[in-house]
Amino acid sequence: VSAEGPAVATPPPESAQAFQSLLVTTEDGITTIRFNRPEKKNAITLDMYKELIDALHHAGKDDSVITVMTGSGDFYCSGNDLNNFTGIPQGGIEKMAKDSGELLKHYVKAYIDFPKPLIAVVNGPALGVSVTVLGLFDVVYATESATFHTPFSQLGQSPEGCSSYTFPKIMGNAKASEMLLFNKKVTATEACNLGLVTEVFPDGSFQSEVWTRLKAYAKLPPKSLALSKQLIRSKEKEKLHAVNDAEVERLIERWLSDECMQAIMNFFQAKPKL
Amino acid sequence: VSAEGPAVATPPPESAQAFQSLLVTTEDGITTIRFNRPEKKNAITLDMYKELIDALHHAGKDDSVITVMTGSGDFYCSGNDLNNFTGIPQGGIEKMAKDSGELLKHYVKAYIDFPKPLIAVVNGPALGVSVTVLGLFDVVYATESATFHTPFSQLGQSPEGCSSYTFPKIMGNAKASEMLLFNKKVTATEACNLGLVTEVFPDGSFQSEVWTRLKAYAKLPPKSLALSKQLIRSKEKEKLHAVNDAEVERLIERWLSDECMQAIMNFFQAKPKL
Amino acid sequence: VSAEGPAVATPPPESAQAFQSLLVTTEDGITTIRFNRPEKKNAITLDMYKELIDALHHAGKDDSVITVMTGSGDFYCSGNDLNNFTGIPQGGIEKMAKDSGELLKHYVKAYIDFPKPLIAVVNGPALGVSVTVLGLFDVVYATESATFHTPFSQLGQSPEGCSSYTFPKIMGNAKASEMLLFNKKVTATEACNLGLVTEVFPDGSFQSEVWTRLKAYAKLPPKSLALSKQLIRSKEKEKLHAVNDAEVERLIERWLSDECMQAIMNFFQAKPKL
């Protein structure tokens, strides 16, 4: 884990939980959940989804004031590990699609129901589901060189993470469709202008500027923060759960389609630089 | 039809349907519906509304991957032909207002229900209903000199095309009201900053840049595109139909009001440069 | 009342109503409601809330075409007068919180139900509830040096004025949370980019430019304007009332919490420069 940013190189954390693919710490009133597979660009395996769900549930209940998600190494997160689609398990491909759908649904639920301010510290490129769930965060800080890419149709798939609802809400259809339908990769500054990102910082001072700010946030009245966040979320919680369900249903259909299988085979044959 | 842009001057289309006021072609996986009354700035007559509804229904069912709307000549579309209001037919003005309202409702329905990615290539000034329905498109590309103008209150009327819902959603009330209530004409760049337009291109390279991009889009997995678009639209389809009904109802009342009749008479007397 | 801007220094108004803390005039088809406690930065006392509700009800029914809110002196409005929290009345603190909540609810209702175009002329710093209700205005013009600040969590409180719904709708969660949860003060230009403000004007020409424009607006067909505004509002009126109820309920809980009492005591001890 030598590839982490400076924030983790600081004094030993008050508490740390043991995960295989994550680094989770709590200090200064902040629980940090760090994607920790830098050698795989923090791609999310099936086991890692389960760990993330656990980590989010735990962070929601611990005594921290805010929760932060970030990545180890150069990437924030490269999204769903496409190796999740290889190796058909016992039960066949239909069971695999259904099980993966259930897991994804629970993963997104953990964001929808998160009870405290949730802040993304996007330290590098973000792809797929790690981008789409950003619409469910309260604040998103990005380093200047970060990029945001959701190449769903290119892979024969469809949007998830509630992005089919949150992205049009945040930036309007005309901008959202270019990302969600037509695979446009946007820069941090573009994402900030679109409203997906709160603020962009120079790469050189990103970690120090952001963590200074986060530590100040964690000193604000905790109940006021949590209750205000819940008040904002309550207006669309029911809607978000319905969106999540519909997205996962559609995605299961997609995963079982010839179009998607062909697109993923092409991906492994071409090994494109995502 | 010598006033068309370069895109139509290219090789003969795979298929072309016969319309009086439109030019509809399908090639390279793209169905293009072109407003084709350049001598009248592509103003929409009652017959043209019917042709547009037919053309959209057909495009939704044909084997094209995406559908594009654009205009012949210098204008994109100058909106509702105000001559639609002259010459009271048998049945009187109340029947005329009701019939026009029904027609408009069906026209807007065709956009709400459109099942594939729908892209506007705004080649020049856009007015009235041709602007308001843009909120129902998936992508809107505009040439630098295009303008967007919805002078409803000036004509004693009220917003349609679902703009009373989509515009505040896209740009917020503070920006939407200036367009929808106070007749502000916005430039392509302003419309892009507001989120109504996806991207603006220089006039000189508009056609070539846009069509290169559209041809690439049309090579993406078709079902993934259509199902993703439908997924996004499904969240608000019911709402959009209710908005359309309410807008048309209000507009019929407006058309029969003294305020509106006076404003339209003033229009014909003053012949303002729209 | 010598601290007013030039707009009030012009010819005598057609009509003027008598209020203690407001200056309300009607001329040229415009009813202007002016916060008029410049020596207290136009902070809103309990009596002033009542006068504002009365003034809005009256303006909604008079024969003016548009209604404008602005401030006397250098401030637009510094929000809720924190002295409202001092001096526990007969009935105890619980009754005080409940009564204040009812008053706030009616105040915000007056904005939700306002039947004509409502325009804010933000002549200086705006704070708290004077910022949050801006999401319920149709147009917001701001002078360049105006600022927008909603320090709720800092005071142990939670958002009101329907901002927990309107702010995320206008600017997306990532931007709204920084204002509503983390006390970010934004400049007029930033607020304009976020969609909260329609347009920003140089301080030197603010009053003349804005009032020229408003006088032109007031000459548009009045019914078309009012009915168009009502059409836009009708889509979310029910939602807005539910949001207002939920926000006030949460705020009453907050006012009675130790966290909030402590934060307000700290405020009076520290006398921070808001």
Side-chain angles (χ1 to χ4, degrees):
Chain A
V1 291
S2 60
E4 306 137 13
V8 168
T10 50
E14 291 172 17
S15 73
Q17 291 177 263
F19 289 101
Q20 293 296 316
S21 56
L22 306 176
L23 203 59
V24 181
T25 58
T26 300
E27 55 179 330
D28 297 330
I30 305 172
T31 291
T32 302
I33 301 172
R34 191 176 291 266
F35 301 113
N36 199 32
R37 288 181 78 212
E39 72 286 1
K40 295 290 182 184
K41 298 176 177 172
N42 298 322
I44 308 176
T45 62
L46 297 179
D47 282 342
M48 194 167 163
Y49 277 115
K50 290 172 196 161
E51 289 197 345
L52 282 161
I53 293 168
D54 278 355
L56 283 164
H57 282 171
H58 193 273
K61 287 176 194 157
D62 71 15
D63 61 358
S64 66
V65 179
I66 59 174
T67 296
V68 172
M69 295 194 73
T70 191
S72 288
D74 296 332
F75 263 66
Y76 174 68
C77 174
S78 57
N80 193 37
D81 191 326
L82 288 180
N83 287 302
N84 292 343
F85 290 113
T86 61
I88 298 165
Q90 216 176 2
I93 191 168
E94 292 201 15
K95 186 172 185 315
M96 183 176 84
K98 206 178 155 188
D99 289 350
S100 297
E102 275 303 303
L103 187 58
L104 175 62
K105 196 190 289 185
H106 278 87
Y107 181 58
V108 176
K109 258 182 203 297
Y111 290 92
I112 297 172
D113 292 333
F114 199 75
K116 300 173 186 179
L118 183 63
I119 297 174
V121 172
V122 184
N123 58 300
L127 273 134
V129 71
S130 77
V131 176
T132 55
V133 297
L134 290 178
L136 299 169
F137 280 67
D138 299 296
V139 169
V140 178
Y141 291 132
T143 197
E144 202 173 1
S145 61
T147 52
F148 300 84
H149 194 195
T150 51
F152 295 119
S153 70
Q154 196 176 310
L155 293 169
Q157 302 189 33
S158 54
E160 21 69 338
C162 291
S163 62
S164 69
Y165 167 77
T166 58
F167 278 36
K169 185 191 168 189
I170 293 168
M171 59 187 84
N173 262 352
K175 309 285 193 188
S177 300
E178 216 175 26
M179 288 189 75
L180 297 179
L181 299 182
F182 297 119
N183 312 297
K184 187 186 183 185
K185 188 197 284 190
V186 305
T187 65
T189 300
E190 287 169 339
C192 189
N193 291 336
L194 292 170
L196 188 62
V197 163
T198 307
E199 192 171 338
V200 177
F201 298 82
D203 291 346
S205 58
F206 177 61
Q207 296 289 347
S208 64
E209 287 196 61
V210 163
W211 288 96
T212 301
R213 201 179 289 196
L214 295 176
K215 281 170 190 168
Y217 290 173
K219 287 184 183 131
L220 290 165
K223 283 182 191 159
S224 183
L225 283 182
L227 291 170
S228 295
K229 185 250 164 83
Q230 290 165 31
L231 181 67
I232 293 171
R233 177 56 47 89
S234 67
K235 269 84 193 179
E236 49 184 10
K237 204 169 197 173
E238 203 181 332
K239 176 92 180 176
L240 289 169
H241 283 303
V243 168
N244 186 23
D245 290 352
E247 286 178 345
V248 168
E249 195 180 337
R250 178 124 303 172
L251 201 45
I252 292 174
E253 295 163 19
R254 292 280 76 214
W255 285 334
L256 296 171
S257 70
D258 291 342
E259 213 180 62
C260 178
M261 289 184 196
Q262 188 61 49
I264 290 173
M265 279 203 295
N266 292 347
F267 171 85
F268 280 109
Q269 279 160 13
K271 299 200 184 202
K273 288 179 276 311
L274 284 186
Chain B
V1 292
S2 60
E4 307 135 15
V8 168
T10 48
E14 291 172 15
S15 73
Q17 290 176 263
F19 289 100
Q20 293 295 317
S21 56
L22 307 175
L23 202 59
V24 181
T25 58
T26 300
E27 54 179 331
D28 297 329
I30 304 171
T31 290
T32 303
I33 300 172
R34 190 176 290 266
F35 301 113
N36 199 32
R37 288 181 78 211
E39 74 285 2
K40 294 291 183 183
K41 298 176 177 173
N42 297 322
I44 309 177
T45 62
L46 297 179
D47 283 341
M48 195 167 162
Y49 278 114
K50 290 172 196 162
E51 289 196 343
L52 283 162
I53 294 169
D54 278 355
L56 284 164
H57 282 170
H58 193 273
K61 287 177 194 158
D62 71 16
D63 61 357
S64 65
V65 179
I66 60 174
T67 295
V68 172
M69 295 194 73
T70 191
S72 287
D74 295 332
F75 263 65
Y76 174 68
C77 175
S78 57
N80 193 36
D81 192 325
L82 287 181
N83 287 301
N84 293 341
F85 291 114
T86 60
I88 297 164
Q90 215 176 3
I93 192 167
E94 292 201 14
K95 186 170 186 314
M96 183 176 85
K98 206 177 157 191
D99 290 349
S100 298
E102 275 303 302
L103 186 59
L104 176 62
K105 197 190 289 184
H106 278 88
Y107 181 58
V108 176
K109 257 182 203 296
Y111 289 93
I112 298 173
D113 292 333
F114 198 74
K116 301 173 185 178
L118 183 63
I119 298 175
V121 172
V122 184
N123 58 298
L127 274 134
V129 71
S130 77
V131 175
T132 53
V133 295
L134 290 178
L136 299 169
F137 279 67
D138 299 295
V139 169
V140 179
Y141 292 133
T143 199
E144 204 173 0
S145 61
T147 53
F148 300 83
H149 194 195
T150 51
F152 294 119
S153 71
Q154 195 176 311
L155 293 168
Q157 304 190 31
S158 54
E160 21 69 340
C162 291
S163 62
S164 68
Y165 167 77
T166 60
F167 278 36
K169 185 190 168 189
I170 293 168
M171 59 186 84
N173 262 353
K175 309 285 192 188
S177 300
E178 216 176 23
M179 289 188 73
L180 297 178
L181 299 182
F182 297 120
N183 312 297
K184 187 186 184 188
K185 188 198 281 191
V186 305
T187 66
T189 300
E190 287 168 339
C192 189
N193 291 336
L194 292 171
L196 188 62
V197 163
T198 307
E199 192 171 338
V200 177
F201 299 82
D203 291 345
S205 59
F206 177 60
Q207 295 288 348
S208 63
E209 286 196 62
V210 163
W211 287 97
T212 301
R213 200 178 289 195
L214 295 176
K215 281 171 191 169
Y217 290 173
K219 288 185 182 129
L220 290 165
K223 283 182 190 160
S224 183
L225 284 182
L227 291 169
S228 295
K229 185 249 162 91
Q230 290 166 31
L231 182 67
I232 294 170
R233 177 57 46 91
S234 67
K235 269 82 193 180
E236 49 184 11
K237 204 170 197 174
E238 204 181 330
K239 176 92 179 175
L240 289 169
H241 282 303
V243 168
N244 185 24
D245 291 352
E247 286 178 345
V248 168
E249 198 180 335
R250 178 124 303 173
L251 201 45
I252 290 174
E253 294 163 22
R254 291 280 77 215
W255 285 334
L256 296 172
S257 70
D258 290 343
E259 212 179 63
C260 177
M261 288 183 198
Q262 188 62 49
I264 289 174
M265 279 202 295
N266 292 348
F267 172 85
F268 280 109
Q269 280 160 12
K271 299 201 185 203
K273 286 179 276 315
L274 284 185
Chain C
V1 291
S2 61
E4 307 137 14
V8 169
T10 48
E14 291 171 15
S15 72
Q17 291 177 261
F19 290 101
Q20 293 296 318
S21 55
L22 306 176
L23 202 60
V24 181
T25 57
T26 299
E27 56 179 329
D28 297 331
I30 305 172
T31 290
T32 303
I33 300 172
R34 190 178 292 266
F35 302 113
N36 199 32
R37 289 182 77 212
E39 73 286 1
K40 296 289 182 186
K41 299 178 177 171
N42 298 321
I44 308 176
T45 62
L46 296 179
D47 283 341
M48 194 167 164
Y49 278 114
K50 289 172 196 161
E51 290 197 342
L52 282 161
I53 294 168
D54 278 354
L56 283 164
H57 283 170
H58 193 274
K61 287 178 194 155
D62 70 14
D63 61 357
S64 65
V65 179
I66 60 174
T67 295
V68 172
M69 296 195 73
T70 191
S72 286
D74 295 333
F75 263 64
Y76 174 69
C77 175
S78 57
N80 194 37
D81 192 325
L82 288 180
N83 287 303
N84 293 342
F85 291 113
T86 60
I88 297 166
Q90 213 177 5
I93 191 167
E94 293 201 14
K95 187 172 184 313
M96 182 176 84
K98 207 178 155 189
D99 290 349
S100 298
E102 275 303 303
L103 186 58
L104 176 61
K105 197 191 290 186
H106 278 88
Y107 180 58
V108 177
K109 258 183 204 295
Y111 289 93
I112 297 173
D113 293 332
F114 198 74
K116 300 173 185 179
L118 183 64
I119 297 174
V121 172
V122 184
N123 58 299
L127 274 135
V129 71
S130 77
V131 176
T132 55
V133 296
L134 289 178
L136 299 169
F137 279 66
D138 300 296
V139 168
V140 179
Y141 292 132
T143 198
E144 203 173 0
S145 61
T147 53
F148 300 84
H149 195 194
T150 51
F152 294 119
S153 71
Q154 197 177 308
L155 293 168
Q157 304 190 29
S158 54
E160 21 69 338
C162 291
S163 62
S164 69
Y165 166 77
T166 59
F167 278 36
K169 186 191 168 189
I170 292 168
M171 60 186 83
N173 262 353
K175 309 287 191 186
S177 300
E178 217 175 24
M179 289 188 74
L180 297 179
L181 299 183
F182 297 119
N183 312 299
K184 187 186 183 186
K185 188 198 283 191
V186 305
T187 66
T189 299
E190 287 169 339
C192 189
N193 291 336
L194 293 171
L196 188 62
V197 163
T198 307
E199 193 172 337
V200 178
F201 298 82
D203 291 345
S205 58
F206 177 61
Q207 296 288 349
S208 64
E209 287 196 61
V210 162
W211 287 97
T212 301
R213 201 179 290 195
L214 295 176
K215 282 171 191 169
Y217 290 173
K219 288 185 183 129
L220 290 165
K223 284 182 189 159
S224 183
L225 283 181
L227 291 169
S228 295
K229 185 249 164 87
Q230 290 166 30
L231 182 68
I232 294 170
R233 177 56 46 91
S234 66
K235 269 84 195 180
E236 49 184 11
K237 204 170 197 175
E238 205 181 330
K239 177 92 180 178
L240 290 168
H241 282 302
V243 168
N244 185 24
D245 290 353
E247 285 178 347
V248 168
E249 197 179 334
R250 178 124 302 172
L251 202 45
I252 291 173
E253 294 164 20
R254 292 280 77 214
W255 285 334
L256 297 172
S257 70
D258 290 343
E259 213 180 61
C260 177
M261 288 185 197
Q262 188 63 49
I264 289 174
M265 279 202 295
N266 292 348
F267 171 85
F268 280 110
Q269 280 160 12
K271 298 201 186 203
K273 286 178 278 310
L274 283 186

